[in-house]
Amino acid sequence: MDKELRVIVSGGGTGGHIFPAVSIANAIRKLRPDAKILFVGAQGRMEMQRVPAAGYDIKGLPIRGFYRPLWKPSNIGVAIDYLRSKWMAKKLLREFRPDVAVGVGGYASSAALGAANSLGIPTLIQEQNSYAGLANKQLAGKAAKICVAYEGMERFFPKDKIMMTGNPVRQSLLETTLTREDAVRSFGLDPDRKTILIVGGSLGARTVNESVLQHLDLIGQSGVQFVWQTGKYYYADIKERLSKLTAQLSNLIVTDFITDMGAAYRAADLVISRAGASSISEFCLIGKPVILVPSPNVAEDHQTKNALALANRDAALYVKDADAPASLLPLAINTVNDSAKLQSLSDNVRKLALPDSADIIAREVIKLSTRQSH
């Protein structure tokens, strides 16, 4: 019998970090049901709810981001919390005694994997984007293995440590057994009509939401159905704005967060989405036609690079954030009614899929655990 496997998984802040982390944990557990897996997150961030909901224990650190500019007095408290987090992470790892630590990016991973490095615990980092995040760049020097989803990552990381794995996606998306008809009905909609899913990420996207609000008349007259995830930040305001119009907009389902994205994707003939790396990996694997609206508020504009990697291969449509309010909804309605275009987008996006990412990474984690010497 193998020695019990103990793994720390750290990172979060957004769904784009949390979903791959949970997928890796699920894949480790599938290969080694005996594995003890503990997540380390940032207090007050999304992972503190999402990870327990996925069936895993999580410990929170008081770590948070520095304010800009760096000389702001409020950064004194941030720096103190960072030092506290490093101390807490080291104490946590000494108590849990992991064989290996996995980081997926985000504030918490810098403290947790930094502590693992100082204790001689092997570390693996997983970078989702085409432009590496700050935490992963800082941790790369001491990492044993760096799993990436894009070519050309040697500009950020030591080449000999890089492994092309693709991004792990939520297993529930691939395992859903719903038919399209049943998925559409689960939202109270008509399976005989075309359906567009609008998602701005787990927290929402202001521009995508404004693009919808500016075309409510068009939506009402379109003959197309819409499922719109507003994100929790915008939901109350949008519901208030729509409250006087519900009679005319029976074809628009509005929600702050969709729990079963497997059903939502299965129901959709076309998706409107930001261009986060995890989302793109999901569209490739399920072959879903998509219009990408990259967020301009990310490091090095990496979402635009993500989107163009698909658009240049006719595997997605691309709309600039600045152009979205005027053109996004008319383009979506025209596209969803063009069956040949939908089929072409679906065929082309499937060709870019890197399957089994979580399983590949899980096997690397297990390999590293046999090397640990602490």
Side-chain angles (χ1 to χ4, degrees):
M1 180 65 193
D2 290 323
K3 170 183 156 309
E4 180 184 73
L5 174 64
R6 302 178 75 84
V7 183
I8 287 280
V9 181
S10 186
T14 66
H17 289 315
I18 298 161
F19 300 137
V22 169
S23 293
I24 293 167
N26 290 343
I28 292 168
R29 192 170 266 179
K30 190 171 74 178
L31 292 169
R32 289 286 300 271
D34 65 304
K36 296 282 186 290
I37 300 172
L38 177 66
F39 279 72
V40 179
Q43 289 171 6
R45 302 299 294 246
M46 191 194 295
E47 58 265 29
M48 301 308 294
Q49 282 78 47
R50 298 269 177 263
V51 168
Y56 293 97
D57 292 334
I58 186 167
K59 301 286 187 186
L61 303 176
I63 196 164
R64 52 204 168 104
F66 284 94
Y67 298 99
R68 299 286 186 271
L70 286 174
W71 58 83
K72 273 193 173 182
S74 45
N75 278 327
I76 295 168
V78 179
I80 291 167
D81 282 344
Y82 177 71
L83 294 172
R84 272 179 65 216
S85 296
K86 284 183 76 170
W87 177 82
M88 287 169 67
K90 200 173 272 194
K91 182 171 180 285
L92 194 64
L93 266 64
R94 283 201 177 105
E95 289 169 0
F96 185 72
R97 303 188 323 280
D99 302 298
V100 60
V102 178
V104 297
Y107 302 133
S109 68
S110 61
L113 267 73
N117 287 330
S118 70
L119 294 170
I121 298 161
T123 60
L124 176 148
I125 59 178
Q126 196 265 326
E127 175 55 58
Q128 296 98 39
N129 288 295
S130 56
Y131 190 90
L134 187 60
N136 280 348
K137 282 193 282 192
Q138 289 172 338
L139 294 164
K142 292 187 175 172
K145 190 67 73 174
I146 301 165
C147 298
V148 302
Y150 288 87
E151 302 286 353
M153 298 304 285
E154 57 274 4
R155 64 203 168 109
F156 304 111
F157 302 133
K159 190 173 182 177
D160 59 325
K161 297 180 178 183
I162 293 174
M163 182 176 184
M164 175 68 94
T165 59
N167 283 323
V169 304
R170 290 171 278 188
Q171 280 92 344
S172 60
L173 300 185
L174 307 177
E175 292 165 1
T176 183
T177 55
L178 283 176
T179 63
R180 178 192 171 274
E181 289 70 24
D182 287 342
V184 172
R185 285 195 188 97
S186 74
F187 289 96
L189 295 172
D190 178 358
D192 294 328
R193 294 169 72 184
K194 294 284 191 181
T195 303
I196 296 174
L197 171 67
I198 304 166
V199 283
S202 43
L203 300 177
R206 186 194 304 275
T207 306
V208 173
N209 288 341
E210 282 301 323
S211 303
V212 179
L213 290 167
Q214 289 186 30
H215 288 94
L216 293 174
D217 287 348
L218 180 63
I219 287 169
Q221 298 155 14
S222 66
V224 175
Q225 302 172 132
F226 295 81
V227 177
W228 178 18
Q229 178 183 282
T230 62
K232 63 177 184 178
Y233 291 159
Y234 305 103
Y235 181 67
D237 177 55
I238 286 169
K239 285 298 278 186
E240 172 69 25
R241 289 167 74 172
L242 292 176
S243 60
K244 304 166 190 73
L245 302 163
T246 43
Q248 303 103 284
L249 289 171
S250 57
N251 62 330
L252 177 65
I253 302 295
V254 185
T255 181
D256 62 336
F257 185 80
I258 297 169
T259 308
D260 188 353
M261 284 303 294
Y265 282 155
R266 186 58 60 89
D269 298 287
L270 176 69
V271 179
I272 292 170
S273 173
R274 286 303 202 193
S278 292
S279 298
I280 284 182
S281 297
E282 291 171 354
F283 302 136
C284 293
L285 282 161
I286 61 177
K288 190 56 64 175
V290 61
I291 301 175
L292 296 169
V293 187
S295 170
N297 309 313
V298 292
E300 299 297 315
D301 198 24
H302 69 249
Q303 284 205 5
T304 295
K305 297 180 179 77
N306 293 350
L308 289 173
L310 270 66
N312 291 339
R313 293 171 175 84
D314 295 322
L317 300 177
Y318 159 57
V319 174
K320 273 185 171 173
D321 189 80
D323 297 339
S327 63
L328 179 58
L329 264 294
L331 174 65
I333 290 165
N334 286 337
T335 304
V336 83
N337 287 313
D338 183 343
S339 296
K341 184 64 176 174
L342 291 179
Q343 189 61 54
S344 163
L345 288 169
S346 179
D347 292 344
N348 290 338
V349 80
R350 260 186 221 280
K351 291 172 190 168
L352 303 178
L354 288 167
D356 306 319
S357 300
D359 292 337
I360 294 165
I361 295 167
R363 283 195 287 273
E364 287 301 310
V365 171
I366 291 165
K367 264 191 231 170
L368 285 179
S369 73
T370 64
R371 287 172 39 182
Q372 70 92 12
S373 56
H374 69 288

